[in-house]
Amino acid sequence: MNKITAAITAIGSYVPDFVLSNQVLETLVDTNDEWITSRTGIKERRLLKEEGQGTSFMAIKAAQNLLEKANLNPKEIDLIIMATATPDMPVASTGVYVATQIGATNAFAYDLQAACSSFLFGMSTASAYIQSGKYKKVLLIGADKMSSIIDYTDRATCIIFGDGAGAVLFEPNTDGLGLQDEILKSDGIGREFLKIDAGGSILPASEETVKNKQHFVFQDGKTVFKYAVSGMADVSEKIMERNNLTHDDVNWLVAHQANKRIIDATANRMGVEESKVLINIHRYGNTTSATLPLLLCDFEDQLKKGDNLIFAAFGGGFTWGAIYLKWAYNK
Ligand code: UT7
């Protein structure tokens, strides 16, 4: 029998309706459209404004979009992996709630957290379950409500992040399509540069932590940028070398949307031309766990069976990596 690989066979997405433009941000903090556009490539982002709703709201909608498009019975799903840095609440797994809400009653579910690399690492996890032959349908969802942890008086972070969700289905393939190779990395040196100080086990919530705004994201952007540029480019170049892929062989670069300049630097190192680089950062900003599946959905029409995709991400922790995947279907 041919080797089993894990192929993406269906995708779905959801972004909230509410648009936060650079022009509106100009009225909230000392910034301007020109600075944001030239430094990051972002023009607008989506925010979830529904009262009392969290990340699961968007994850459910993305999963339902996939189920509808693929005409899939949710009872057939074996496992749901929920990649997120902004779970609905501590302890009770968001993925478990999502599974029940979409009717995936035969699946087990859990959350996976690796900051902006959550979805990329989730691809590796989902793929390993499929390759083992143990499960046949693994749903990986990437969703984040970044607006719940952003201080909209802090111009260093509020211009960057947005909310969104995407979902992909992994199934076994014996024709050599799907996930081919991965390079995943982490380094605890990054802990100080991108973090939320309070609300965890080191510094539980108190009046003091709320007053000091310690429940919001802190980012030393310059340092993260430096590590992101070299980290993402290194692994992307390495995975090409290791699989004997030239820039002509690569059809698409599917890179985490944190900053257009980081994506450009990665594409340059790979020698991949601009027309092969999937970009939607101008519309959504950095949606953390949702950037990669949102790219797949926005460009689904252009992805062809057999295409070589290089996924790449960099995030807090630090966490980063690259995945080489052969696309498995024509829309
Ligand atoms: O997804 C997880 C991983 N995260 C990332 O990959 C993000 C990595 N970092 C970045 O994308 C960039 O560092 C930022 C977009 C966050 C910042 O861009 P930068 O080019 O590194 O700017 P900077 O922090 O070096 O600041 C340059 C200047 C400073 O002014 P001076 O000191 O040169 O006078 C800042 O005070 O720009 C100023 N500045 C701003 N000006 C207008 C900083 N933020 C803003 C702002 N609007 N929002």
Side-chain angles (χ1 to χ4, degrees):
M1 203 181 97
N2 288 343
K3 189 178 157 221
I4 299 172
T5 46
I8 293 177
T9 55
I11 58 181
S13 66
Y14 172 79
V15 290
D17 295 332
F18 184 89
V19 175
L20 178 62
S21 66
N22 289 352
Q23 285 70 26
V24 172
L25 278 170
E26 285 177 3
T27 69
L28 300 178
V29 289
D30 180 15
T31 191
N32 58 78
D33 176 48
E34 202 282 319
W35 190 95
I36 302 173
T37 307
S38 61
R39 298 285 177 135
T40 70
I42 303 167
K43 295 301 266 183
E44 57 188 44
R45 57 300 282 142
R46 302 298 181 98
L47 266 52
L48 182 65
K49 290 286 191 183
E50 267 78 357
E51 195 65 28
Q53 296 292 353
T55 295
S56 65
F57 179 86
M58 297 183 290
I60 289 165
K61 290 212 179 288
Q64 286 169 338
N65 177 237
L66 180 151
L67 292 172
E68 201 175 304
K69 279 170 65 184
N71 197 19
L72 176 71
N73 180 347
K75 290 191 168 47
E76 289 180 37
I77 299 170
D78 301 306
L79 161 63
I80 294 181
I81 300 171
M82 178 77 225
T84 186
T86 53
D88 283 4
M89 54 179 78
V91 183
S93 163
T94 303
V96 169
Y97 177 71
V98 171
T100 300
Q101 290 301 305
I102 65 167
T105 47
N106 294 313
F108 72 103
Y110 59 86
D111 295 354
L112 186 154
Q113 213 286 58
C116 286
S117 305
S118 299
F119 189 85
L120 189 87
F121 285 17
M123 288 176 69
S124 163
T125 311
S127 162
Y129 278 116
I130 295 285
Q131 281 175 22
S132 75
K134 210 165 178 183
Y135 302 113
K136 301 274 181 274
K137 285 184 169 47
V138 178
L139 185 67
L140 171 64
I141 306 173
D144 270 303
K145 184 183 171 186
M146 295 306 291
S147 61
S148 66
I149 52 170
I150 293 301
D151 174 5
Y152 285 91
T153 65
D154 175 15
R155 71 175 183 172
T157 52
C158 74
I159 57 136
I160 298 169
F161 294 98
D163 303 338
V168 307
L169 183 70
F170 281 92
E171 293 188 89
N173 185 285
T174 49
D175 297 325
L177 301 171
L179 199 144
Q180 308 291 313
D181 194 14
E182 62 182 36
I183 300 174
L184 305 181
K185 301 263 188 188
S186 63
D187 186 345
I189 196 177
R191 177 149 136 152
E192 291 308 310
F193 305 117
L194 179 46
K195 61 178 176 176
I196 296 176
D197 274 319
S201 56
I202 292 179
L203 191 59
S206 68
E207 269 182 50
E208 197 69 9
T209 61
V210 173
K211 205 175 74 202
N212 293 339
K213 297 187 165 191
Q214 287 171 293
H215 295 272
F216 293 122
V217 169
F218 162 83
Q219 176 171 243
D220 172 351
K222 238 188 194 25
T223 305
V224 177
F225 185 89
K226 205 178 72 193
Y227 279 95
V229 164
S230 60
M232 227 161 86
D234 282 350
V235 288
S236 303
E237 191 181 36
K238 203 168 182 182
I239 207 160
M240 283 173 69
E241 274 171 23
R242 202 156 89 174
N243 292 279
N244 299 316
L245 296 171
T246 68
H247 58 92
D248 284 334
D249 300 323
V250 174
N251 297 99
W252 307 106
L253 170 62
V254 191
H256 174 54
Q257 308 283 292
N259 187 317
K260 174 83 165 46
R261 289 184 290 145
I262 300 174
I263 302 164
D264 289 345
T266 302
N268 278 338
R269 180 89 80 82
M270 295 166 73
V272 168
E273 64 211 63
E274 214 179 322
S275 60
K276 295 178 172 181
V277 182
L278 304 190
I279 295 281
N280 60 11
I281 191 170
H282 52 292
R283 297 170 63 202
Y284 309 131
N286 181 351
T287 55
T288 303
S289 309
T291 62
L292 300 181
L294 281 175
L295 281 174
L296 295 179
C297 285
D298 282 2
F299 291 91
E300 188 179 16
D301 287 347
Q302 294 179 50
L303 307 176
K304 297 284 169 259
K305 189 172 174 176
D307 277 359
N308 291 319
L309 277 60
I310 301 291
F311 291 80
F314 189 93
F318 294 126
T319 53
W320 72 104
I323 284 180
Y324 164 34
L325 176 137
K326 275 189 181 290
W327 196 246
Y329 68 93
N330 294 319
K331 198 183 165 206

